[in-house]
Amino acid sequence: MTDEKHGPLLQYIVKNPEAFAQNLARIVENAGKAMAAYVEPREKGEIKPELADEMTVIFKTLAQVGEYWMSDPQRAMEAQTRLWTRYVDLWNSSLKRMMGEQSAPTAAPDPRDKRFGDPEWNENQFFDFVKQLYLITSQWAEQLVVEAGDLDEHTRHKADFYVKQIANALSPSNFVLTNPELLRETLETNGENLVRGMKLLAEDIEAGKGELKIRQSDPTKFRVGTNLALTPGKVVAQNDVRQVIQYTPTTETVLKRPLLIVPPWINKFYILDLNPEKSFIKWAVDQGHTVFVISWVNPDEHQAKKSFEHYMREGILETLDVIKRATRTEEVNAIGYCVGGTLLGVTLAYMAATGDTRIASATFFTTQVDFTHAGDLKVFVDEEQIQAVEKRMGEKGYLDGSKMASAFNLLRSNDLIWPYVVNNYLKGREPFPFDLLYWNSDSTRMPAANHSFYLRNCYLENRLTKGEMEIGGKRLDLSKVKIPIYNLATREDHIAPPQSVFVGSQFFSGPVDYVLSGSGHIAGVVNPPARNKYQYWTGPRPKGAYEDWVAKAKEHPGSWWPHWDAWIRDLDDETVKARKPGAYRMKVLEDAPGSFVKAAS
């Protein structure tokens, strides 16, 4: 703890000037290597400049906010006065504190904000002043967006997102001289932390082939098939877009209806099979489900023309054929996760239009079929931005996985970007080995035709719930889907917000059980019962307003997994002798988890 009577900054002095000077030279050397790793692929033409286009979108958006405030002198003066009044309040509060008087802070961070956890942010007058100055300014800037008139909803959403990203980036916690913890460590180690940090920065830019690929976990500690995705099974089918894995039963009898899991092709399926303790796949097998999982290809230029329809036909529909051959059973229970769930919803509407009844029930994990309330990802979707993405995809036939990973990380930049920038490059520490974050960084590419269709038909035009989407010559109508549906949303989801999932529930005509889980897009789904974490809510049929449903919902402790299993059994609990992969002369191609999931981007 700092003794303010003897000078709060006396602890922030260089311990060994000679060692510090030597380390400064090493920092500059490693920074040069980082710069070379960034510049070289651009000089060779391997990376085309995109930053200017992205910055143009940001500046054009923020300029519209500025135009509103500057177009009226009185309005501009009021905004400036509001800011300077709070600055004066902060100055007066700081003067009182310097004179030994008690003074309440002018601005305080959210109690959940982890950036200002070091005691010095409150106890040291300098750092407390810097912190409050930042909070006042960032809150003022965010309020300017909220109060700006003459903005359409999409522009306001983009402006709000950009202002928050800029504020997150400029936080004093992200800079050595304004972060007490970083400054102490830098001076105590004579800059050794920054030497290590610049070395890690150079390695991460090199690993990203000229783009910064922030390591969120220690990549040397995990390997798919060795300590990830370990549930035993066999690959029993393969085509251009997917492998099909059938898992080995662990019970003597199983439910007659097999279980098909359609994961997202953004990232990889083993989020549902991280390790035996967290694995939904293993748990489902142990409950007596015959589990089949689609493992999507990590596409390259060969899949450039693979469309949403191809993923439906060669992904889900052909897999239903495989399941019938492997089990001699016509009906299946199906699960779709995130965009895999959107594809499943599209497929259900197509099957309803063609009279195909093989999917007897559907479960959606954090899935949107209606995109009215699709959250912050809509920031990246308008005609101008989609055309830019399509132009990039047209050059290679796919969208680099790093682009989607960056977009998802930006949704929670104070959790998924800046803590790792500080830890890795300013503290010079390797990140902690964490299987979930290793999976998060194991990104996949997006085939051009598929991704363009998804962005335009779902996020931009919301055609599915309007009854305007066409697939395979059929106009899709979700109201014709009458099978039972278990629709799981998660309360803190930034990708598929619970309100969005709730609204989507109302377009199906059959019985829909809307279930709300605690936590977010991943942890709210991957929540094994043995851990007894979080909670879930059940309630009436999802009609009307989301807030009204929440008010009537009943809270249950722990995991929703057993509740879902009971729901499945209530529909059909007939059992048969367990089926092993390779039965009925099915050809086994290789062991689970297969080769598709191991292909790196």
Side-chain angles (χ1 to χ4, degrees):
M1 184 180 294
T2 301
D3 185 351
E4 294 196 11
K5 292 181 180 178
H6 294 88
L9 298 181
L10 286 181
Q11 63 176 322
Y12 299 104
I13 59 173
V14 176
K15 301 296 186 289
N16 186 332
E18 183 178 352
F20 190 80
Q22 291 175 349
N23 281 333
L24 278 179
R26 294 169 62 196
I27 292 167
V28 171
E29 180 182 353
N30 286 339
K33 293 178 180 178
M35 181 58 70
Y38 178 83
V39 170
E40 184 178 357
R42 286 165 175 79
E43 290 181 338
K44 292 181 177 179
E46 297 170 0
I47 295 180
K48 297 197 174 181
E50 298 171 358
L51 182 60
D53 293 338
E54 294 169 354
M55 295 302 294
T56 298
V57 173
I58 294 172
F59 283 123
K60 282 171 63 177
T61 302
L62 296 182
Q64 292 183 59
V65 178
E67 183 180 353
Y68 170 80
W69 289 101
M70 299 306 293
S71 61
D72 183 336
Q74 183 178 352
R75 188 188 295 151
M77 182 61 69
E78 288 174 354
Q80 290 293 326
T81 301
R82 190 189 315 167
L83 176 64
W84 284 102
T85 298
R86 295 200 71 194
Y87 282 166
V88 171
D89 290 344
L90 173 59
W91 181 252
N92 290 335
S93 173
S94 299
L95 287 177
K96 286 182 180 180
R97 186 173 173 185
M98 289 177 64
M99 293 184 290
E101 298 180 29
Q102 292 291 327
S103 180
T106 304
D110 189 299
R112 298 169 295 179
D113 194 335
K114 300 175 183 177
R115 295 175 294 176
F116 305 107
D118 189 280
E120 287 286 279
W121 285 112
N122 296 320
E123 296 169 7
N124 184 295
Q125 291 185 30
F126 171 75
F127 294 114
D128 184 45
F129 182 87
V130 169
K131 175 192 70 179
Q132 292 191 61
L133 187 70
Y134 162 74
L135 291 172
I136 289 169
T137 307
S138 58
Q139 290 166 3
W140 172 80
E142 291 173 16
Q143 197 62 31
L144 290 184
V145 176
V146 172
E147 297 177 6
D150 305 328
L151 294 183
D152 62 84
E153 182 181 351
H154 181 60
T155 300
R156 189 186 307 279
H157 193 178
K158 285 201 298 182
D160 179 68
F161 182 81
Y162 295 148
V163 166
K164 286 178 179 175
Q165 295 307 317
I166 293 168
N168 291 346
L170 296 178
S171 170
S173 58
N174 298 335
F175 300 92
V176 172
L177 294 179
T178 52
N179 182 328
E181 184 183 4
L182 289 177
L183 186 55
R184 281 198 310 271
E185 184 162 349
T186 300
L187 297 176
E188 287 170 2
T189 66
N190 298 304
E192 191 68 40
N193 56 313
L194 297 179
V195 175
R196 297 191 305 269
M198 287 301 102
K199 181 175 181 293
L200 292 174
L201 178 63
E203 291 173 357
D204 286 356
I205 295 175
E206 189 172 351
K209 300 175 182 177
E211 304 279 7
L212 177 58
K213 185 178 182 181
I214 301 174
R215 65 183 88 184
Q216 298 172 322
S217 179
D218 185 344
T220 66
K221 297 292 191 274
F222 298 103
R223 187 175 178 185
V224 176
T226 301
N227 56 0
L228 297 168
L230 298 179
T231 303
K234 305 290 183 183
V235 175
V236 295
Q238 175 178 318
N239 60 25
D240 284 346
V241 303
R242 60 93 177 101
Q243 290 185 321
V244 179
I245 303 170
Q246 180 181 355
Y247 287 91
T248 304
T250 58
T251 55
E252 291 185 6
T253 60
V254 295
L255 288 175
K256 182 179 179 181
R257 282 185 188 169
L259 178 65
L260 167 62
I261 299 178
V262 185
W265 52 89
I266 301 170
N267 288 107
K268 298 178 179 178
F269 82 86
Y270 67 87
I271 185 58
L272 296 174
D273 193 25
L274 282 174
N275 61 45
E277 289 72 38
K278 299 178 185 176
S279 174
F280 176 82
I281 290 172
K282 180 182 184 302
W283 183 87
V285 170
D286 290 343
Q287 306 313 302
H289 295 272
T290 304
V291 178
F292 292 82
V293 172
I294 291 175
S295 175
W296 298 107
V297 70
N298 193 355
D300 57 24
E301 62 275 9
H302 297 99
Q303 282 84 20
K305 296 185 179 179
K306 293 292 182 181
S307 65
F308 223 69
E309 181 178 345
H310 285 105
Y311 270 54
M312 179 187 76
R313 294 188 184 281
E314 298 174 26
I316 295 178
L317 296 179
E318 286 190 15
T319 299
L320 292 175
D321 296 335
V322 171
I323 292 174
K324 183 177 179 180
R325 293 200 305 272
T327 65
R328 296 294 193 265
T329 302
E330 187 79 29
E331 291 186 341
V332 307
N333 298 312
I335 294 176
Y337 192 170
C338 190
V339 65
T342 304
L343 179 67
L344 177 60
V346 167
T347 305
L348 291 174
Y350 178 82
M351 294 173 75
T354 57
D356 190 337
T357 60
R358 286 177 292 175
I359 295 180
S361 78
T363 297
F364 294 114
F365 294 169
T366 60
T367 291
Q368 298 177 103
V369 293
D370 181 85
F371 291 79
T372 305
H373 306 286
D376 284 343
L377 277 178
K378 290 187 78 172
V379 165
F380 304 105
V381 181
D382 51 42
E383 184 61 38
E384 182 180 7
Q385 293 184 87
I386 289 179
Q387 286 185 12
V389 170
E390 289 174 336
K391 182 180 178 182
R392 288 200 296 267
M393 291 192 298
E395 295 168 358
K396 295 181 177 180
Y398 57 84
L399 181 69
D400 281 319
S402 61
K403 302 298 182 184
M404 286 302 299
S406 296
F408 284 127
N409 287 339
L410 280 170
L411 299 184
R412 294 173 53 206
S413 59
N414 275 341
D415 294 321
L416 295 176
I417 295 179
W418 297 112
Y420 297 98
V421 169
V422 171
N423 180 78
N424 300 0
Y425 311 134
L426 300 181
K427 293 182 179 178
R429 299 174 187 171
E430 292 271 4
F432 185 77
F434 188 16
D435 51 9
L436 177 59
L437 289 175
Y438 175 85
W439 167 86
N440 188 58
S441 63
D442 189 9
S443 58
T444 54
R445 296 177 288 266
M446 304 292 110
N450 177 308
H451 198 55
S452 176
F453 181 95
Y454 180 53
L455 291 177
R456 287 189 173 280
N457 285 268
C458 294
Y459 275 95
L460 183 63
E461 298 168 356
N462 197 22
R463 295 172 68 87
L464 181 57
T465 52
K466 292 178 181 177
E468 298 173 355
M469 183 181 288
E470 290 192 8
I471 292 278
K474 301 292 183 182
R475 183 171 286 245
L476 305 185
D477 183 355
L478 286 179
S479 69
K480 293 182 179 179
V481 177
K482 299 179 180 180
I483 62 172
I485 288 174
Y486 188 101
N487 208 359
L488 179 79
T490 57
R491 187 172 56 172
E492 300 166 19
D493 200 329
H494 296 268
I495 297 170
Q499 181 185 7
S500 182
V501 177
F502 181 86
V503 171
S505 299
Q506 302 179 37
F507 289 91
F508 299 100
S509 293
V512 178
D513 283 56
Y514 178 81
V515 178
L516 182 65
S517 171
S519 196
H521 193 74
I522 302 299
V525 174
V526 184
N527 183 27
R531 297 200 164 196
N532 199 29
K533 291 179 68 176
Y534 310 126
Q535 68 283 93
Y536 66 96
W537 291 264
T538 58
R541 182 177 175 88
K543 291 182 178 179
Y546 167 73
E547 294 76 13
D548 294 338
W549 185 94
V550 171
K552 298 174 184 176
K554 181 180 178 181
E555 181 176 342
H556 310 270
S559 173
W560 56 269
W561 291 10
H563 180 265
W564 166 83
D565 186 60
W567 179 83
I568 287 286
R569 292 174 189 278
D570 284 344
L571 298 176
D572 188 344
D573 62 357
E574 183 179 354
T575 58
V576 296
K577 186 179 179 180
R579 309 110 156 178
K580 295 182 179 179
Y584 303 111
R585 299 183 180 179
M586 286 290 292
K587 185 178 180 181
V588 171
L589 303 180
E590 58 181 315
D591 290 335
S595 53
F596 278 19
V597 74
K598 297 177 183 178
S601 294

